[in-house]
Amino acid sequence: MAAAAAASGPPRGFQFAIDRGGTFTDVFARCPGRPAVRVLKLLSEDPGYRDAPTEGIRRILQERAGVAVPRDQPLDTSAIEWIRMGTTVATNALLERRGERLALLVTRGFRDLLHIGNQARPRIFDLEVAVPEVLYEEVIEVDERLIPQQPGCCLPGTETLPLLEGSTGTSLLVQRPLELSALRRELEGVMARGIRSLAVLLLHSYACDWSGHEEQVGALAREMGFRHVSLSSAVAGMVRAVPRGYTACADAYLTPCIHRYLESFRAGFAHQLQAVPVLFMRSDGGLTPMQHFSGARAILSGPAGGVVGYAVTTYRHQDGQPVIGFDMGGTSTDVSRYAGEYEHVFEASTAGVSIQAPQLDINTVAAGGGSRLFFRSGLFVVGPESAGAHPGPACYRKGEWPVTAVGAAPRCRAHRHPRPGAGGPLTVTDANLCLGRLLPEYFPRIFGPGEDQPLCREAAARAFRELAASIDAFQAGTAAGARPPLSVEEVAMGFVRVANEAMCRPIRALTQARGHDAARHVLACFGGAGGQHACAIARALGMSRVFIHKYSGVLSAYGLALADVVHEAQTRVALRYEPPAFPRLDERIAALERECRDALRAQGFAGAQIRTEAFLHLRYEGTDCALMCSAKGHPPTPRSCRAGDFLAAFTSRYLVEFGFTIPDRPVVVDDVRVRGTGSSGISCETPLAPSGKPARVETVTRCYFEEGYLETPVFLLEELACDHTIPGPAIVIDKNSTIVVEPGCTASLTRFGDICIAVGSGSPRPVGPELDAVQLSIFSHRFMSIAEQMGRILQRTAISTNIKERLDFSCALFGPDGGLVSNAPHIPVHLGAMQETVQFQIRNLGEDLREGDVILSNHPCAGGSHLPDLTVITPVFWPGVPKPVFFVASRGHHADIGGITPGSMPPHSRRCGEEGAVFVSFKLVKDGVFQEEAVTEALMAPGRVPGCSGSRNLPDNLSDLRAQVAANQKGIQLVTELIRLHGLPVVQAYMAHIQANAEVAVREMLKDFAARWGTAVEAEDHMDDGSPIRLRVQVDPQEGSAVFDFGGSGPEVYGNCNAPRAIALSALIYCLRCMVGRDIPLNQGCLAPVRVLIPKGSILDPSPEAAVVGGNVLTSQRVVDVIFRAFGVCAASQGCMNNVTFGTALGGYYETVAGGAGAGPRWRGRSGVHTHMTNTRITDPEVLELRYPVVLRRFELRRGSGGAGRFRGGDGVTRELLFRRATTLSVLSERRALRPYGLRGGSPGAPGLNLLLRRDGRTINLGAKTSVPVEPGDVFHLQTPGGGGFGDPGDGGDARDGGDPQGAADPPRSFAERGSLFEYRRAQEAV
């Protein structure tokens, strides 16, 4: 078949590679005759034609034929050799929720599993928990249940259950056989309601290779006439029910849409394209025949072509220099990495849907040239909001944007939509235009109300003048007030610099996350807007080379022409990687290789064109951190599989990514995957002839750079030859992009006509200690980047599951007074708490803090939250300064540090010592020496107390503490680099400026509240034992300050619900950030306008001996409830973390469980989600049952538990655990007696309930806090609280009559974040 033909020679017919994007469709065509290449760009949606790819093909055929080709007739295909396409059809349908109507079939008891998901909320400071709705309309619960067989299981009756041996190595018991007769009746009802697409999710179906499980359901549905049925075991045959279910739903939702599009596309051609090979790009970077193109593999179909394009054209095998792909378009910016192999992720989220399928790791990190510009509380802010295509930037003149949106987020929803008139909001594109980096005369005249005008520089300049005036007015009242007024160019240049720094942060994270140095990479730039920023970004990252392909404006289409056809096969296994398993693994690999080769041969590929590569999905036993490893470069040995030494490949990659290996730990194989590739990419690089004369200057323009306006020559790329060298400053214009060569950089053309820019170091811009708004924004990014990079080192080098995989840690930078400067990630319960710890050490140790010392602390009296959170603090010294100039610290949750129960979180502790080892000001490192013996003795000290144990996992404690020390060292390195660059006075000055900026944002919020709701508010709530939490707030409307007085709160309790003072401060910072309603630096400045009064000896500031573990996870939630009640922000959420632990002395399991979110003045509470001070993900049901001696019987919403109101509170959940062995169950919870309050006429949510259903038929109410032995067959039945309702149910008007302290939420992000960086951040915030 032609699809398999190597196309390095001249084409026999027309070869089309087409990228159908959301705004534009790019066409790259190889044509018979001369010229051999034709490139075309057209709108993806236009009333003048039915389908953009078809129209692009028609235009080129007509142009070459020289005769008219009618639009209304099918195109003749006789001259077409092949067509390749990438499309955003699937992505757009998912984002806009325009897919097929479908129903979900799921195991009984789990109807709401995909609604709950992992129970974490996506944005931790948004009180309105906005989660994209599920894709299905209806749910049918299927009567069936498989459970894993477990050695040592004592569950009565399991010995008589049928046993199924799966080929994966997992044995399953049939607890409840599949019942099809009742299912048929329910499917008939679904069909009668017009639904024809189904997704099927039955628990543990990944292990089923027989025909009696999901396959039977699918066969029944197809027999009944359902047009599309997606079986989770077929679409994503990997363990973990939630992402597998999401993937099946996405496939059932999107594949019919794709099929409809393909039918429509084929209809535009004669004979439905039967004789023409048509290939589509999949998310993994491989092409597949049109008939195999499906929804779950189509999400990244468009962007994947760009990755293939830069990987093939930029990467040089001879030197192996890795490449960063930088794709900056009008509405999004993507970054990715290539180092000789494509980097894949095997689970990623798009539009709130996790898809479990191989995907290129393409990280969408910003909104591109359309990123909106704001000036907020003294900060220059770029994005994340986008102007979109309509109204577009101000210079498009497609709609009049209100003045309230220039420089600040609009407060009123009505102002978010443009009115017909002058232009949209200010964007990065407007900034580049005002700086002379975009030349309107080289753009098509498609702008203005009639879409027939050029870009308008004056419209952008006018908006910048307004913004400059508002910035000057703001700065007049600050320390920067003496500065001269800002010009349009200074403001625009400031925003460009801030945008560049914002885009550098994710690139640093992408490289450092895997142990790579960003400076060693080449920056491959493509997309319409990237060329204006490439030099500056490369320079900021220390890169020496930028590569811009001659087809950079259409590189995704060009990449389709270069790509290979791919067929992948995968199967689940559950084996240790050891010699007895090698024959079975070799057999699996060989079978999958045969499948791939057969599939590619069927497409016409010869054996010589086919390559296969085997992968094993490997992890250390007892961990969740699995790596998909190829044995490439690791040949087989007598102690390996025949396919290669996968263990060597795994340990080598693990060492690079995480900084260590675990030599004595067995390695487990989860999956076997084979990727078969049929080589069919074209080669159409035509060398350029040297011109022998200087490059012709098209024109000379004035362009604004750091040095000011410079005379800048303009060149046309099409006129340049391979012997031309262009020193900066210069502008090179292509048909689809504008490239800015900055001063100090030199551009040259390669022999094939591509641009290679040598990036000079440039002259550093002098920065003084006085406040500069642009530098303030840049330093804000730099300080945050330090904390983020510390976190990456900690995650890479830690060994415990809690830190490495659950990411339960925070890293932070502090000033010389111990005040917080930057903190990452934003775990609510850590916010501000570490500041108390650092300041305590400064007071407590004084002159005894020396260079080479590292301090360990966890005691509540020293700013600790609870004992398992160990804080490691390192002072930063500078030559000639006797005291520390900064501090860096890392706080990590250690799974066990001793105490009366495993996990160090006992539900019945009465004093601090029962909760584990205690450190006040312990020198973990002294004079540069790690004090292993002393810290070991301290960690084991609780074992000397009767009834207590020392640490039950000392090796992990020591390893994680070393990792925390290493993270701090990284912080010191980055801080000292910043000081060397700018000087100590400047860095310390901007530390203070950043703190002052956060203070301004909080003062503005308090002034706004006082103006609308008064200067004095108060509230009270109670713990279940009756202990009151009281708060009186007095706001000064002139200063924007407030006194938060917790006087009258109850005394310290005889139990563990005492909350250290640091916890109350963390809760307060969290609430202030929520009420500000937008991103601000979270640092000491947030509390500067606030005076906090907490009575000593109270439940919020207990004695040093008090037990506090419940205060961290329970009382913290009540403090939040009281603050929000006082401010009238929203009704109470569930107010509890529902801590559940079970286990024995040999090990255990810990989880927190979601409940209902409180409703607010414009929103209903979300059901089944974590709220406020926690955001912990819950273990997937299949993983839970595979690893622990329980069966999850139910996990669903507790319908009706949310409080009634004009806006109803969210429902809690019902969760049932059936125990398979004798164990100890511990529960630590609240809101079992007192209900979460409703607000302004709304009803309270239902309280929670903890029941133990004994196997003998008894039902026992366990109360809120208990520890109880359970036997096989016992069931723990948990009902979590619902959220309170807001507003009177009979009130049809606005329940608030004028808004709320949080104000109108910012507009939603206009680009869909995705990729490993996004997943990492979500995981960090899910703690």
Side-chain angles (χ1 to χ4, degrees), residues 1077-1134:
R1078 55 181 167 78
D1079 287 339
I1080 61 171
L1082 291 171
N1083 56 44
Q1084 174 180 263
C1086 292
L1087 291 179
V1090 171
R1091 190 157 63 100
V1092 183
L1093 305 178
I1094 302 175
K1096 281 279 188 185
S1098 71
I1099 190 174
L1100 301 182
D1101 191 1
S1103 66
E1105 296 78 25
V1108 297
V1109 68
N1112 182 65
V1113 296
L1114 300 176
T1115 311
S1116 61
Q1117 298 279 44
R1118 194 69 73 259
V1119 174
V1120 171
D1121 285 344
V1122 170
I1123 294 171
F1124 284 153
R1125 190 175 202 170
F1127 281 79
V1129 172
C1130 60
S1133 293
Q1134 67 159 336

Side-chain angles (χ1 to χ4, degrees), residues 1125-1147:
R1125 190 175 202 170
F1127 281 79
V1129 172
C1130 60
S1133 293
Q1134 67 159 336
C1136 178
M1137 298 185 191
N1138 303 297
N1139 303 270
V1140 178
T1141 308
F1142 60 82
T1144 66
L1146 299 177

Side-chain angles (χ1 to χ4, degrees), residues 858-916:
N858 69 342
H859 198 288
C861 75
S865 48
H866 63 163
L867 297 188
D869 280 348
L870 298 185
T871 304
V872 174
I873 304 162
T874 308
V876 182
F877 287 87
W878 188 252
V881 182
K883 291 187 177 182
V885 295
F886 282 95
F887 290 86
V888 290
S890 54
R891 174 170 288 184
H893 184 103
H894 288 238
D896 194 291
I897 56 165
I900 57 177
T901 61
S904 305
M905 292 191 65
H908 49 272
S909 52
R910 298 289 182 262
R911 54 189 181 81
C912 190
E914 295 176 337
E915 297 175 354

Side-chain angles (χ1 to χ4, degrees), residues 271-296:
H271 309 297
Q272 300 277 309
L273 285 170
Q274 287 181 7
V276 179
V278 182
L279 301 173
F280 273 77
M281 176 62 78
R282 301 192 311 185
S283 299
D284 62 0
L287 295 165
T288 192
M290 178 166 55
Q291 62 270 25
H292 296 155
F293 191 51
S294 65

Side-chain angles (χ1 to χ4, degrees), residues 1027-1225:
S1027 295
I1029 308 289
R1030 294 195 178 105
L1031 173 65
R1032 288 185 295 276
V1033 182
Q1034 188 72 39
V1035 181
D1036 185 323
Q1038 277 73 44
E1039 291 189 3
S1041 62
V1043 176
F1044 283 71
D1045 185 358
F1046 289 93
S1049 295
E1052 175 184 319
V1053 298
Y1054 184 63
N1056 58 27
C1057 281
N1058 301 292
R1061 176 183 171 86
I1063 291 295
L1065 295 181
S1066 295
L1068 180 54
I1069 287 184
Y1070 166 79
C1071 292
L1072 292 173
R1073 166 60 184 85
C1074 290
M1075 290 190 289
V1076 167
R1078 55 181 167 78
D1079 287 339
I1080 61 171
L1082 291 171
N1083 56 44
Q1084 174 180 263
C1086 292
L1087 291 179
V1090 171
R1091 190 157 63 100
V1092 183
L1093 305 178
I1094 302 175
K1096 281 279 188 185
S1098 71
I1099 190 174
L1100 301 182
D1101 191 1
S1103 66
E1105 296 78 25
V1108 297
V1109 68
N1112 182 65
V1113 296
L1114 300 176
T1115 311
S1116 61
Q1117 298 279 44
R1118 194 69 73 259
V1119 174
V1120 171
D1121 285 344
V1122 170
I1123 294 171
F1124 284 153
R1125 190 175 202 170
F1127 281 79
V1129 172
C1130 60
S1133 293
Q1134 67 159 336
C1136 178
M1137 298 185 191
N1138 303 297
N1139 303 270
V1140 178
T1141 308
F1142 60 82
T1144 66
L1146 299 177
Y1149 170 77
Y1150 169 70
E1151 69 181 18
T1152 63
V1153 185
R1162 288 186 303 273
W1163 68 85
R1164 294 187 298 273
R1166 173 77 180 178
S1167 300
V1169 70
H1170 260 321
T1171 54
H1172 301 325
M1173 299 300 283
T1174 188
N1175 203 29
T1176 311
R1177 297 183 178 192
I1178 200 160
T1179 305
D1180 189 89
E1182 291 175 345
V1183 174
L1184 177 69
E1185 294 183 350
L1186 283 167
R1187 296 189 184 175
Y1188 301 99
V1190 293
V1191 174
L1192 184 60
R1193 295 208 315 185
R1194 293 171 64 191
F1195 190 31
E1196 58 192 15
L1197 296 181
R1198 185 186 171 199
R1199 283 172 169 72
S1201 56
R1206 179 171 184 264
F1207 296 100
R1208 191 175 184 87
D1211 290 332
V1213 304
T1214 297
R1215 187 170 172 87
E1216 287 187 352
L1217 296 172
L1218 169 66
F1219 294 97
R1220 305 178 71 170
R1221 293 185 208 158
T1223 186
T1224 299
L1225 169 69

